[in-house]
Amino acid sequence: MDRTELELLSPAGDTERLTMALHYGADAVYLAGTRYGMRASAGNFDDAQMLEAVKLAHERGVKVYVTCNTLPREDELEGLPRYLGYMQDIGVDAFIIADLGVLELAKKHAPHVKKHVSTQLGVINSATANALYALGADTVVLARETPMADIRKIRANTPEDLRIEAFVHGAMCVSFSGRCLLSNYLTGRDANRGQCAQPCRWKYHLMEETRPGEYFEITEDNGTFIMNSRDMCMIEHLPELIDAGVTSFKIEGRMKSAYYCAVVTNAYRQAIDAAITGKPLDKIWIEETEKVSHRPYTTGFYYGDPGQHYAATSYYSLTDVGAIVERCDENGNAVLSQRNKFYKTDELELLIPGEKPVKFTVERMYNSEGEEIEDTRHAMMEIHMKLPVYAPRYSVVRKYR
């Protein structure tokens, strides 16, 4: 299969995360402006930043999809035509849309921009996919609850030029396709308007009405995190998704770190390329998914009942970022920017775009004045050290916990 037929779609919550997605192998990125996006707390992009983001992505042959996936209220509709028109003018490749009214406005005011229907709309069968195609959708992002067997049927019963996109990695929601009122009810922050407070991730206690102030943990079955969904990880199952008809593989995480974006994009780039060539996936790329902050993994609903769907714990990770490579010569002499403290003699690991990670031990390192140092104690300090191999800018030096 030609690699160009498939697409790795990575999150870009801000410019730093966009940069990592571009350097670590994304074919497309999804991001948001300052309005109409479902991640109001992400850094996001104002109009000028969006123009620059599109320019940077297109220079590397990467497409840009802008999320317009809130459910806009009546007083928000007035500004939407101008917003959509501006996005067309600067060359965005697609909108991700969850509202039929927004879909119609996008057809009218940005006719040259492709329309992708968001997972928020809950596409789970071919009848819905065909109806949306008739309304002008170019891509449907399937609901996370769609089984693999149903994806095959959806592909068989929809037009060939309707692209099917599916999530392959990241957080899942306790509610159906993210349509939840719990955050709104408990905090006044509307999850359907990008303001979710994630109360499903909170640790809950019981209180008996005649004993105010006495709190009792909920400890049976799934533990105290009774609504805390596991994270999805489908890196070992991409050949099956390809065979079922998925052409765009989406990584969740616009609110997650630039390091998460780099590591997961890098791993899935290798997994997709292996699937295309028919080669077995090197287990090192599966191990990479354990090196970012995540909840326990699951394959979600792809294979029917997910069984233990909830995680009785919060995030954990095997590694932390020590530094980011700013520049490096062909002999490995590098200048880095510190992110977390590490020490001389520490065993570290170098992550390079498109390459397997390389372990090495810190022998010597220096500050910006050329003085030898024993540790990197100052936030964002400049570090000079020799790396085991050449590492391009935005490579990551990380340490194990």
Side-chain angles (χ1 to χ4, degrees):
M1 181 180 293
D2 187 345
R3 170 175 167 171
T4 60
E5 295 179 28
L6 304 179
E7 173 182 271
L8 176 59
L9 177 57
S10 295
D14 59 19
T15 300
E16 184 182 18
R17 283 168 268 195
L18 169 67
T19 299
M20 289 304 198
L22 297 180
H23 283 81
Y24 280 85
D27 297 306
V29 294
Y30 64 104
L31 44 77
T34 55
R35 293 160 288 167
Y36 309 113
M38 280 294 288
R39 291 294 182 268
S41 298
N44 296 326
F45 298 79
D46 62 25
D47 285 356
Q49 291 169 331
M50 186 69 77
L51 174 62
E52 183 63 21
V54 172
K55 179 182 177 183
L56 288 172
H58 285 178
E59 284 175 351
R60 298 183 69 92
V62 175
K63 295 179 180 179
V64 177
Y65 304 155
V66 173
T67 60
C68 296
N69 55 346
T70 58
L71 307 179
R73 293 178 177 163
E74 197 66 23
D75 60 356
E76 295 175 298
L77 292 179
E78 183 179 355
L80 193 52
R82 188 207 69 81
Y83 181 81
L84 296 170
Y86 174 76
M87 294 301 166
Q88 176 173 271
D89 290 343
I90 65 173
V92 303
D93 297 283
F95 297 122
I96 303 174
I97 297 169
D99 181 90
L100 294 181
V102 175
L103 178 61
E104 287 299 309
L105 288 171
K107 287 161 59 179
K108 180 178 179 180
H109 297 284
H112 303 301
V113 180
K114 292 185 180 298
K115 286 78 178 173
H116 297 184
V117 174
S118 170
T119 190
Q120 304 295 132
L121 204 142
V123 180
I124 202 165
N125 60 57
S126 60
T128 303
N130 284 324
L132 292 165
Y133 177 77
L135 290 172
D138 302 280
T139 298
V140 289
V141 186
L142 297 180
R144 288 177 177 86
E145 296 79 13
T146 312
M148 186 80 71
D150 285 3
I151 297 176
R152 295 179 186 277
K153 295 173 184 176
I154 292 169
R155 178 69 287 167
N157 294 308
T158 52
E160 288 185 6
D161 59 338
L162 176 66
R163 297 168 71 248
I164 293 178
E165 182 179 306
F167 280 90
V168 293
H169 196 93
M172 295 191 294
C173 181
V174 68
S175 182
F176 182 85
S177 295
R179 290 189 275 183
C180 181
L181 293 177
L182 188 60
S183 176
N184 206 340
Y185 177 74
L186 291 177
T187 70
R189 290 168 54 178
D190 192 339
N192 298 302
R193 296 171 61 75
Q195 300 167 353
C196 185
Q198 296 194 330
C200 57
R201 310 295 185 187
W202 299 350
K203 185 176 182 180
Y204 286 90
H205 289 70
L206 292 175
M207 185 179 71
E208 201 274 326
E209 65 176 342
T210 64
R211 295 177 175 82
E214 293 186 31
Y215 300 97
F216 303 92
E217 284 201 26
I218 307 166
T219 56
E220 285 192 78
D221 297 324
N222 295 324
T224 20
F225 296 90
I226 56 175
M227 293 177 285
N228 184 38
S229 302
R230 290 171 178 255
D231 283 358
M232 178 186 290
C233 181
M234 288 291 289
I235 194 166
E236 297 181 73
H237 304 280
L238 297 188
E240 296 160 82
L241 286 168
I242 293 170
D243 188 60
V246 175
T247 52
S248 180
F249 304 90
K250 190 169 190 174
I251 297 169
E252 182 275 338
R254 279 191 292 132
M255 293 288 291
K256 294 179 180 174
S257 69
Y259 174 60
Y260 167 94
C261 187
V263 173
V264 178
T265 298
N266 200 45
Y268 276 84
R269 174 75 277 149
Q270 309 311 312
I272 290 174
D273 290 350
I276 291 170
T277 59
K279 296 179 180 178
L281 178 62
D282 193 318
K283 67 177 182 179
I284 199 167
W285 302 116
I286 302 169
E287 293 168 356
E288 281 294 290
T289 64
E290 296 289 342
K291 296 177 183 178
V292 295
S293 181
H294 67 285
R295 303 176 188 89
Y297 285 131
T298 175
T299 54
F301 294 85
Y302 280 116
Y303 300 101
D305 185 348
Q308 185 71 7
H309 186 53
Y310 301 104
T313 182
S314 190
Y315 285 106
Y316 65 92
S317 175
L318 297 179
T319 63
D320 288 314
V321 180
I324 304 295
V325 174
E326 298 294 339
R327 58 184 183 272
C328 182
D329 68 21
E330 61 183 13
N331 296 314
N333 298 303
V335 178
L336 302 91
S337 176
Q338 188 259 27
R339 294 297 184 271
N340 284 289
K341 187 176 181 179
F342 59 90
Y343 295 83
K344 182 180 177 180
T345 73
D346 277 356
E347 185 178 60
L348 303 178
E349 197 167 67
L350 178 62
L351 179 69
I352 300 172
E355 303 289 341
K356 294 180 180 180
V358 180
K359 284 186 169 60
F360 70 101
T361 300
V362 180
E363 295 181 354
R364 290 186 177 87
M365 53 186 178
Y366 305 87
N367 62 21
S368 57
E369 283 75 43
E371 301 165 333
E372 188 167 358
I373 54 177
E374 297 296 314
D375 58 62
T376 61
R377 67 185 63 190
H378 303 299
M380 301 297 290
M381 70 178 289
E382 183 178 293
I383 309 159
H384 294 247
M385 61 189 295
K386 185 172 177 60
L387 299 175
V389 295
Y390 166 73
R393 190 180 184 192
Y394 303 117
S395 296
V396 177
V397 171
R398 64 189 176 195
K399 60 179 184 176
Y400 282 82
R401 292 187 171 183

